[in-house]
Amino acid sequence: MLIVVATLLAPVYAKHVAGTDPFRSGLSAKIKIDGKPTPVMQQSTEGLGLGVTPIGPTWGPQYMLGADGQGRDVAARMLYGGRNSLLIAGASTLICLFCAAIIGIAAGYSGGMVDGVLSNLIDMIWAFPVYLLAISLSIVMIGKSFALGPFEISSGSLIVPILIIGLVYVPYVARPIRGRVMAINQSEFVMAARGLGIRRWKILLRHILPNVSTTLIVFAPMLMALNIVTESSLSFLSVGVQPPNASWGTILQDGQTLLYSRPWVSLAPGLAIMVTVLLLNLFGDVLRDVLDPKSARGR
Amino acid sequence: MKEPAEMTAPILKIEDLSVAFLGARNSWNRVIEGLSFDIRPGETVALVGESGSGKSVTSLSVMGLLDPATSKVEGRIQLAGHEVLNLDEAGKIRHIRGQAAAMIFQEPMTSLHPIYRVGDQITEALTSHRDLPKAEARKQAIALLERVRIPNAARRMEDYPHAFSGGMRQRVMIAMALASRPKLLIADEPTTALDVTVQGEILDLLKDIQAEYGMAMLFITHDMGVVAEMADRTVVMLRGRTVEQGPTAEIFAHPREPYTKALLASVPVLGSMKGKPAPLRFPLVDMKTGVAGEALPLQSSPDLSKPILEVRNLVTRFDVRGGLLNRRVARVHAVENVSFRIFPGETLSLVGESGCGKSTTGKSIIRLTDHATGSVAMAGDELFTLRPEALRLKRREIQMIPQDPLASMNPRMTVGDALVEPFTEHRMGTVPQAREKAARLMEQVGLTRDMLERYPHEFSGGQRQRVCIARALMLDPKLIIADESVSALDVSVKAQVVNLLLDIQDRLGIAFLFISHDIAVVERVSHRIAVMYMGEIVEIGPRAEILERPRHAYTRQLIGAVTVPDPGRRHLRRNQQIKELKTPIRPLDFRPPARHYEEVAPGHLVMVEA
Amino acid sequence: MLAAILSRLLRMVVVMFGISVITFLIFFATPSSDPAARIAGKNAAQETIEAVRKDFGLDRPLYVQYGLMMQRLFISQDLTSFANRGQKIIPTVMAAAPATLSLVSGAAVLWMLGGILTGITAAAFRGRWPDKILMGLSMMAVAMPVFWVGEMVNLVTQNRLHDTWAFSWVPALGYTPFSQDPGLWFRSMVFPWLTLAFLYIGLYGRMLRTGIIETYQEDFIRTARAKGLTGRKVLLKHATRSAIIPIVIMFGMDFGVLVGGAAVLTEVVFGINGVGRLTYQALKVLDLPMIMATVLYASFFVVIANAVVDLLCLLIDPRMRRA
């Protein structure tokens, strides 16, 4: 349990444990290993001996996992990148749940025209492959800074991937929520409330919302896990988090060119993603068992 | 029918059976303790008891169907020479299940595999223990379907279960059980989910088949009427223990234990109200002495000066959509041209079988369904033309008591909040006043005020129904629609809740629209009765008129099908013709024919058959 | 019946039209995107941008641009790329399709077999160690980004252990058409197949296991057991048959989406020039005609998959055939 918390929180206290500035490139930097100063970028000994290869894992406080192609400390970038990854995944989860809840409840509770329009829109976006949509949106949005209402959003801002990842999964969450709202709306106790002459908005507020909220809560960890993978995929395709900012996905992208010579640059963020997603999914299972015992009876 | 052979060895012998289930925190909960009885060849033994008495668990133990990981079965079960509890899974498959014993279940709707053809499912039962050539198995399967009197058996082999009605599916289940020519047939509440007329057909069929095959039957039921009709001997169970066992006639005529007496006293008997003008409460039995109290009749009488509710030409139709495009393909004429009046302090019952439109009528009156047309006047105000806000306020005067009280309460609200909410929504007073009234009503319905802090799932079924009654009373209604409100309750609880409803009527002069399929209960509580069939009222009139002098063919059929807890009627057969139950689903261009009613006695109207 | 089919087709066309409009709007009407500026490149002079705008017809009203593009895509079929001028769009997409199809179909066979086997085995051994191991593996499969798995596979098979007996048969990254050299085609596809299938085996296995276990609560399973059927027959014939319906539905959708280009990550990692990679590259340089074509290609498969799934459901589930 302690390990779980430490792993999830590590990126939050990144600043205090990271030894080296993760964003300054250190092509000419040197560190001391066994008392000897060693350059971070080493002359390549393979092949023709041309070019440089970043230092491998030192397992010391500095450059614990080695350096990347620009001589930056991978371990330190892992921590800062992790913070961004979790921030993006978390924030986009909240955005997604919020939008999906509003759309799902609006469609499910009002029915009729509103439902018809919203449902058809959802179906249409559903037919648009998620990755294509996300990549398309990213490419359009990361090019330039633009204004979103009163806020000026710069091209490198984390808000861009947060918004994109938050929005692309809305149909996938809104559809089941709509179904749930419709089911609750047809349920005996809502019928009973209508028969008792309770006002419409009060039925929504006191009878439907509390019963939908479990569905939303159960969705949260699974969605966040999905968002972490999505973020890393987008960043890997260089349409997610923009340099010099880091995330686990961007480190993976940096590591792509160093895959055969310095595999740790790719290995570390991949493992981090796996562990985080695994934990989130496990947590999601537990949450579902506790909040929704009916679906857990098969376990 | 054969006389039970006293001399032969029993086919099933249960000795000192105990069953425990693994509960929360690894504790074992006893559900059956020290149960012993036996069944001889050709004999029918009934296990009766209310929910939680362990009767179904007994049958599953005999079949060896309990999960060994979560249950512990001790004692002895001897079936056709096999020690069931000593057999391993393979042995149970080889000797017991579908061999020595076969079983039919309560829910014919869900007990057949939905995606296999009916014929294949029967053939599978035939071939699972024997090597049969395909053609031969098919021939035998058709013979079995014919044996359970399914019309067009050969053709229906190719149909899927969803194409069968509930009664027909139960016939298929019986055919499947007969496939192995079992020595013992276990019937676990086989007619509980069926309509009365279908129940009669199935009971007749079971009797015939038993006589023909000479097999023993273990009949599990909560319905004393079915027991009286089916069983040679009866075992009464309560919370996993045997209360009393003996020949059925003996048990009915001279029950020894107070529980059996109470059980029998709570059973409504159709025809017991002859010559009694007013609705009658059930007698209460002292659980210690077994002495039955006096049944008190309703004191108040209806005020016939001006109707409180007047329904005229009510029509409710739903579209049936289907196909790839979800188009309208047909229309359900759920309620067709229904008219009636209810007077203050009066109880009008709507009776009929499932799908006859009685529940939809109730919902349409308070506009809980769309698609209803016609006219409903409540205390002079026309409900169908009211604006939403006015309708909301008007709903105060008409309240509902639902069939399933648990489903009709928000699981995330305490009972107290659920009672206070409607009171404050209608601005009938402050929150403290509401809580005071809620507490008072809780006591009036036989609960305590500290229960207000509990959530619905913390109550028993009967208590929940009392809470729903209290919730309805919070708004001082003039009319209560009780939609199958007591149907799902155990007999003894049912009697108490019926008594409570009569108390309320006596004290507050409330009118009731009592919707039920249970004609024996209806006889107990009604002033007048309306019989519905396929969305229409076929006959309406005073209770005694309808039940003692029914005129319409359907009414007669309905009344004739009711089981009566009188073992003297055991050898009766209804000899009804088999029919698939008709449904009021009509093509889109269907125009309902004009109906006429004839007044055969004062207030007794019968539809004239075309 | 004919009316039903026609109306279904109409619906499919409407969805695709909607998608083409969404795509078009994303690239032409979002505030920050000026395709002309993109094509002209960074730091291009204003005159250059204007020249590009005129040259590519980007100065015309939006609906004209849209109509023109659709006309050239579907009717005259001579739409050309913005990025590599002169490159015809339709032949390019068609050339990329077989690679994607090879990748996805091979993987699909693997993941259906693997997923069903995993699900049934886990359900049969519910709560015991085979179940725990399989479910642990499945959870991991779902938790790992597919491109990372691909990279790790490459690391082992192309580099670290490439010269050992185990992986020396693995050819260099890239796609060889089946018609050119079937043996090489197969060898080059083995690891891409495994990589892509791994994720879906995890997903499907978990889902099927849950489905089977839930089906075991159904009354008709009790009936089957009471009939005296063996445990294996109950599991395979009665429980799995119902639980597999949602898997088939999911398979149809996943297959359609992947063939349409959603396997982009796997294609990028293994250097397979498929539709996904084509789309990705077109997106990167904002090659609008190519984007339009590939997105429509993708949505076409999604829409087709939807229809096929509906049809399949009618075939395997008699309950849907009512009415």
Side-chain angles (χ1 to χ4, degrees):
Chain A
M1 200 52 213
L2 210 67
I3 304 169
V4 176
V5 175
T7 317
L8 281 176
L9 291 185
V12 178
Y13 50 81
K15 214 184 251 168
H16 309 291
V17 289
T20 325
D21 185 342
F23 300 116
R24 201 188 56 215
S25 38
L27 290 174
S28 53
K30 287 182 179 171
I31 56 165
K32 274 189 181 161
I33 293 176
D34 303 333
K36 282 183 291 182
T38 315
V40 169
M41 303 307 285
Q42 297 167 321
Q43 280 297 317
S44 177
T45 50
E46 293 162 36
L48 297 170
L50 295 173
V52 286
T53 310
I55 193 170
T58 60
W59 307 115
Q62 284 191 321
Y63 291 96
M64 184 163 77
L65 295 169
D68 66 8
Q70 295 188 44
R72 294 172 298 197
D73 185 339
V74 172
R77 279 178 71 77
M78 275 287 298
L79 294 176
Y80 279 92
R83 191 169 62 177
N84 284 340
S85 286
L86 293 181
L87 183 72
I88 292 172
S92 54
T93 302
L94 290 182
I95 291 178
C96 181
L97 287 180
F98 183 73
C99 296
I102 287 181
I103 293 176
I105 290 171
Y109 192 55
S110 19
M113 270 285 283
V114 182
D115 183 33
V117 170
L118 285 175
S119 299
N120 273 313
L121 209 65
I122 287 176
D123 280 356
M124 196 168 287
I125 299 176
W126 191 290
F128 205 134
V130 163
Y131 272 73
L132 291 189
L133 186 62
I135 296 171
S136 308
L137 286 174
S138 310
I139 284 179
V140 171
M141 284 165 79
I142 55 180
K144 261 179 167 177
S145 52
F146 61 93
L148 186 83
F151 305 104
E152 179 77 12
I153 291 172
S154 65
S155 60
S157 166
L158 288 183
I159 306 239
V160 176
I162 287 176
L163 273 179
I164 291 167
I165 297 169
L167 292 179
V168 287
Y169 288 116
V170 167
Y172 293 79
V173 184
R175 195 136 101 170
I177 288 177
R178 167 179 172 266
R180 182 92 184 98
V181 171
M182 284 175 92
I184 296 173
N185 201 19
Q186 294 296 315
S187 72
E188 289 278 326
F189 70 84
V190 172
M191 279 284 186
R194 282 170 60 197
L196 287 164
I198 313 289
R199 270 164 287 193
R200 250 177 95 77
W201 63 270
K202 266 215 159 147
I203 291 181
L204 180 64
L205 213 64
R206 286 175 58 108
H207 295 266
I208 292 182
L209 264 183
N211 287 291
V212 177
S213 59
T214 32
T215 313
L216 283 172
I217 294 168
V218 168
F219 257 116
M222 319 243 173
L223 192 61
M224 182 159 168
L226 187 64
N227 286 346
I228 285 180
V229 176
T230 310
E231 180 278 322
S232 73
S233 305
L234 288 180
S235 297
F236 179 71
L237 295 173
S238 67
V239 290
V241 175
Q242 294 303 302
N245 225 335
S247 78
W248 286 337
T250 61
I251 302 171
L252 275 168
Q253 202 219 348
D254 295 338
Q256 201 186 2
T257 47
L258 299 167
L259 183 60
Y260 297 155
S261 52
R262 292 286 175 250
W264 269 105
V265 183
S266 295
L267 217 52
L271 286 174
I273 290 171
M274 191 182 86
V275 170
T276 314
V277 171
L278 213 57
L279 289 176
L280 281 168
N281 280 335
L282 280 173
F283 177 61
D285 280 359
V286 172
L287 207 61
R288 192 187 49 206
D289 291 358
V290 173
L291 290 177
D292 189 7
K294 209 157 68 212
S295 75
R297 76 195 161 135
R299 292 174 64 85
Chain B
M1 189 179 262
K2 288 195 302 183
E3 281 304 307
E6 291 295 337
M7 289 301 123
T8 47
I11 190 88
L12 174 72
K13 191 173 178 66
I14 293 181
E15 267 175 67
D16 199 24
L17 179 73
S18 293
V19 181
F21 285 141
L22 191 59
R25 286 184 225 96
N26 282 335
S27 62
W28 290 92
N29 304 323
R30 270 278 152 88
V31 290
I32 295 183
E33 202 160 351
L35 179 69
S36 303
F37 68 92
D38 46 40
I39 307 180
R40 281 163 225 287
E43 188 186 33
T44 301
V45 171
L47 277 187
V48 290
E50 300 180 295
S51 48
S53 61
K55 43 192 201 307
S56 286
V57 177
T58 310
S59 66
L60 293 174
S61 320
V62 173
M63 296 292 278
L65 284 174
L66 293 173
D67 183 356
T70 55
S71 60
K72 209 156 58 180
V73 187
E74 286 155 352
R76 276 183 80 187
I77 300 177
Q78 241 180 354
L79 176 61
H82 300 283
E83 284 288 343
V84 176
L85 298 184
N86 295 343
L87 291 171
D88 58 357
E89 181 73 9
K92 283 177 195 154
I93 289 169
R94 209 169 323 120
H95 303 298
I96 306 297
R97 296 182 206 147
Q99 282 292 86
M103 197 165 172
I104 54 179
F105 300 97
Q106 175 174 359
E107 289 291 340
M109 289 308 199
T110 53
S111 291
L112 288 167
H113 201 298
I115 60 179
Y116 285 113
R117 288 172 211 277
V118 158
D120 294 342
Q121 297 191 44
I122 297 174
T123 316
E124 190 182 31
L126 281 165
T127 53
S128 65
H129 290 99
R130 278 176 296 161
D131 278 329
L132 267 185
K134 239 185 164 173
E136 177 59 26
R138 191 184 143 78
K139 229 168 75 193
Q140 288 194 18
I142 295 175
L144 281 170
L145 283 182
E146 278 167 352
R147 184 65 202 81
V148 296
R149 294 191 218 127
I150 290 181
N152 298 319
R155 202 162 45 92
R156 302 231 67 181
M157 289 276 288
E158 310 305 320
D159 281 337
Y160 290 94
H162 65 71
F164 289 76
S165 66
M168 284 293 153
R169 283 187 214 194
Q170 199 59 291
R171 284 169 194 275
V172 172
M173 286 295 292
I174 294 171
M176 210 150 78
L178 293 178
S180 58
R181 297 196 144 258
K183 300 193 175 68
L184 172 71
L185 179 68
I186 302 177
D188 187 354
E189 303 265 10
T191 57
T192 306
L194 304 175
D195 279 321
V196 240
T197 55
V198 183
Q199 162 172 303
E201 291 169 13
I202 297 288
L203 293 180
D204 277 0
L205 176 67
L206 284 172
K207 285 186 211 166
D208 287 352
I209 282 172
Q210 188 185 23
E212 185 184 323
Y213 284 62
M215 61 188 175
M217 195 144 65
L218 175 59
F219 208 96
I220 291 163
T221 184
H222 69 281
D223 184 336
M224 293 308 267
V226 174
V227 173
E229 187 162 318
M230 298 300 291
D232 300 308
R233 284 192 302 122
T234 299
V235 180
V236 182
M237 289 182 74
L238 174 68
R239 288 188 217 104
R241 292 167 185 273
T242 318
V243 175
E244 186 167 357
Q245 56 175 307
T248 306
E250 185 69 25
I251 295 241
F252 274 73
H254 311 287
R256 285 193 309 267
E257 299 296 320
Y259 177 73
T260 318
K261 286 178 188 165
L263 204 59
L264 284 167
S266 313
V267 177
V269 182
L270 184 61
S272 64
M273 294 282 288
K274 271 199 184 113
K276 301 201 170 96
L280 193 63
R281 290 178 181 81
F282 285 97
L284 290 177
V285 175
D286 189 308
M287 288 307 281
K288 285 204 187 71
T289 60
V291 178
E294 204 186 332
L296 300 167
L298 192 69
Q299 298 291 319
S300 68
S301 53
D303 164 18
L304 297 176
S305 55
K306 198 169 143 227
I308 182 91
L309 179 81
E310 181 152 18
V311 177
R312 251 177 289 143
N313 308 98
L314 184 69
V315 173
T316 308
R317 295 172 187 161
F318 305 104
D319 290 334
V320 179
R321 290 173 181 275
L324 275 176
L325 294 165
N326 210 24
R327 285 183 178 219
R328 273 190 309 182
V329 290
R331 197 172 280 146
V332 184
H333 291 244
V335 180
E336 198 57 57
N337 208 7
V338 161
S339 307
F340 57 83
R341 296 192 291 183
I342 302 179
F343 294 91
E346 186 192 38
T347 299
L348 172 71
S349 290
L350 279 184
V351 298
E353 295 178 286
S354 55
C356 73
K358 53 189 192 304
S359 282
T360 313
T361 305
K363 289 207 175 85
S364 300
I365 288 170
I366 44 173
R367 282 179 61 185
L368 280 180
T369 53
D370 306 329
H371 329 289
T373 57
S375 146
V376 174
M378 176 68 198
D381 290 324
E382 175 55 49
L383 295 186
F384 278 22
T385 53
L386 282 185
R387 302 184 152 278
E389 181 60 15
L391 174 70
R392 183 177 81 78
L393 295 172
K394 192 73 187 169
R395 278 186 175 149
R396 213 187 101 179
E397 296 173 11
I398 316 178
Q399 281 304 306
M400 273 198 126
I401 304 174
Q403 173 171 16
D404 182 350
L406 182 62
S408 82
M409 283 189 275
N410 186 344
R412 301 186 162 264
M413 231 186 215
T414 61
V415 160
D417 288 344
L419 257 60
V420 167
E421 188 186 29
F423 189 83
T424 52
E425 274 289 278
H426 286 281
R427 300 187 199 288
M428 292 167 71
T430 61
V431 173
Q433 284 170 336
R435 292 203 75 85
E436 184 44 43
K437 184 168 184 182
R440 212 171 57 234
L441 283 173
M442 286 292 273
E443 281 165 1
Q444 279 180 19
V445 298
L447 302 171
T448 58
R449 38 177 83 216
D450 53 308
M451 288 179 177
L452 284 173
E453 305 310 318
R454 294 199 201 161
Y455 285 90
H457 64 87
E458 296 172 77
F459 290 87
S460 72
Q463 287 176 325
R464 280 181 207 131
Q465 198 55 289
R466 289 168 190 270
V467 171
C468 283
I469 293 169
R471 181 173 66 177
L473 293 179
M474 281 300 286
L475 297 178
D476 304 328
K478 295 176 180 151
L479 170 71
I480 287 180
I481 300 176
D483 185 0
E484 301 277 11
S485 302
V486 297
S487 305
L489 303 175
D490 277 326
V491 232
S492 54
V493 181
K494 185 188 289 191
Q496 293 164 11
V497 173
V498 166
N499 285 358
L500 174 62
L501 290 177
L502 292 176
D503 288 347
I504 289 165
Q505 192 166 34
D506 246 349
R507 201 169 52 237
L508 304 169
I510 293 175
F512 278 91
L513 178 60
F514 194 86
I515 299 170
S516 178
H517 70 276
D518 187 340
I519 297 165
V521 172
V522 163
E523 184 191 31
R524 205 92 191 175
V525 301
S526 313
H527 294 99
R528 285 190 301 135
I529 296 175
V531 181
M532 282 188 80
Y533 178 60
M534 296 237 290
E536 297 173 301
I537 291 183
V538 295
E539 189 163 5
I540 182 169
R543 183 241 307 159
E545 275 288 315
I546 297 284
L547 295 180
E548 288 160 33
R549 285 174 290 281
R551 301 296 280 268
H552 196 273
Y554 178 72
T555 314
R556 287 189 189 146
Q557 192 189 350
L558 201 60
I559 294 171
V562 176
T563 58
V564 177
D566 170 13
R569 292 171 38 122
R570 275 219 18 231
H571 305 289
L572 287 182
R573 291 288 195 283
R574 295 172 188 80
N575 291 327
Q576 288 162 349
Q577 56 187 33
I578 313 284
K579 49 164 182 47
E580 282 274 4
L581 209 66
K582 287 194 213 152
T583 58
I585 300 176
R586 310 282 197 187
L588 287 173
D589 54 2
F590 177 80
R591 294 189 69 100
R595 302 294 197 184
H596 303 285
Y597 291 86
E598 183 193 348
E599 185 157 13
V600 293
H604 184 171
L605 296 170
V606 183
M607 184 191 280
V608 181
E609 286 180 72
Chain C
M1 196 57 206
L2 187 71
I5 295 170
L6 279 179
S7 147
R8 174 87 206 200
L9 282 174
L10 187 74
R11 220 183 127 78
M12 285 159 69
V13 171
V14 168
V15 169
M16 286 182 62
F17 172 74
I19 286 172
S20 72
V21 171
I22 295 175
T23 317
F24 192 80
L25 288 180
I26 287 177
F27 289 98
F28 284 85
T30 42
S32 68
S33 86
D34 179 356
R38 279 298 178 92
I39 296 165
K42 271 187 185 153
N43 310 321
Q46 198 57 41
E47 300 88 77
T48 327
I49 296 178
E50 288 310 317
V52 167
R53 201 183 300 274
K54 224 177 166 83
D55 193 17
F56 284 87
L58 297 172
D59 51 350
R60 296 190 173 169
L62 279 179
Y63 63 90
V64 175
Q65 289 185 45
Y66 175 83
L68 216 60
M69 190 174 270
M70 288 295 124
Q71 189 261 328
R72 289 187 65 196
L73 184 58
F74 287 111
I75 297 164
S76 58
Q77 307 203 338
D78 61 347
L79 191 65
T80 51
S81 163
F82 277 6
N84 308 314
R85 303 206 73 179
Q87 186 191 23
K88 287 234 174 119
I89 297 288
I90 292 171
T92 316
V93 176
M94 285 305 140
T100 302
L101 209 60
S102 313
L103 171 69
V104 177
S105 355
V109 172
L110 283 180
W111 93 58
M112 270 315 252
L113 287 177
I116 291 174
L117 214 63
T118 307
I120 294 178
T121 317
F125 289 94
R126 167 145 82 110
R128 279 176 281 160
W129 61 266
D131 177 31
K132 285 181 180 151
I133 290 175
L134 281 172
M135 284 307 103
L137 279 174
S138 299
M139 267 207 132
M140 272 177 61
V142 177
M144 290 188 280
V146 62
F147 62 90
W148 183 72
V149 177
E151 282 200 326
M152 293 304 121
V153 166
N154 281 343
L155 180 64
V156 173
T157 63
Q158 298 284 340
N159 181 266
R160 290 296 144 102
L161 297 177
H162 183 64
D163 297 330
T164 65
W165 57 270
F167 298 115
S168 55
W169 54 272
V170 182
L173 294 182
Y175 174 71
T176 317
F178 181 79
S179 53
Q180 201 177 317
D181 182 349
L184 192 60
W185 170 81
F186 183 80
R187 278 185 287 145
S188 67
M189 293 309 285
V190 167
F191 282 103
W193 284 339
L194 287 173
T195 304
L196 186 57
F198 189 49
L199 162 73
Y200 289 95
I201 289 176
L203 274 176
Y204 285 34
R206 274 174 68 87
M207 201 165 136
L208 185 60
R209 172 186 179 272
T210 315
I212 292 177
I213 289 172
E214 266 170 22
T215 311
Y216 261 86
Q217 313 284 324
E218 299 277 354
D219 287 348
F220 58 77
I221 294 295
R222 193 180 53 188
T223 309
R225 294 182 63 210
K227 263 197 252 183
L229 300 186
T230 56
R232 175 207 298 235
K233 242 190 173 164
V234 172
L235 172 67
L236 294 182
K237 203 173 156 191
H238 288 254
T240 306
R241 174 73 192 263
S242 330
I244 216 154
I245 291 171
I247 300 281
V248 171
I249 294 173
M250 212 161 91
F251 173 76
M253 297 308 297
D254 285 341
F255 189 79
V257 171
L258 286 175
V259 169
V264 50
L265 289 160
T266 318
E267 289 179 5
V268 168
V269 170
F270 288 104
I272 297 168
N273 282 312
V275 180
R277 206 157 170 243
L278 187 69
T279 315
Y280 171 55
Q281 279 158 354
L283 281 164
K284 259 178 132 171
V285 295
L286 225 70
D287 188 353
L288 276 168
M290 190 67 94
I291 293 172
M292 214 58 189
T294 48
V295 167
L296 279 179
Y297 177 85
S299 60
F300 173 73
F301 278 101
V302 174
V303 169
I304 290 283
N306 243 322
V308 170
V309 161
D310 283 357
L311 213 68
L312 266 177
C313 283
L314 286 186
L315 283 180
I316 50 179
D317 190 348
R319 282 166 296 182
M320 313 272 267
R321 266 176 253 164
R322 241 181 300 196

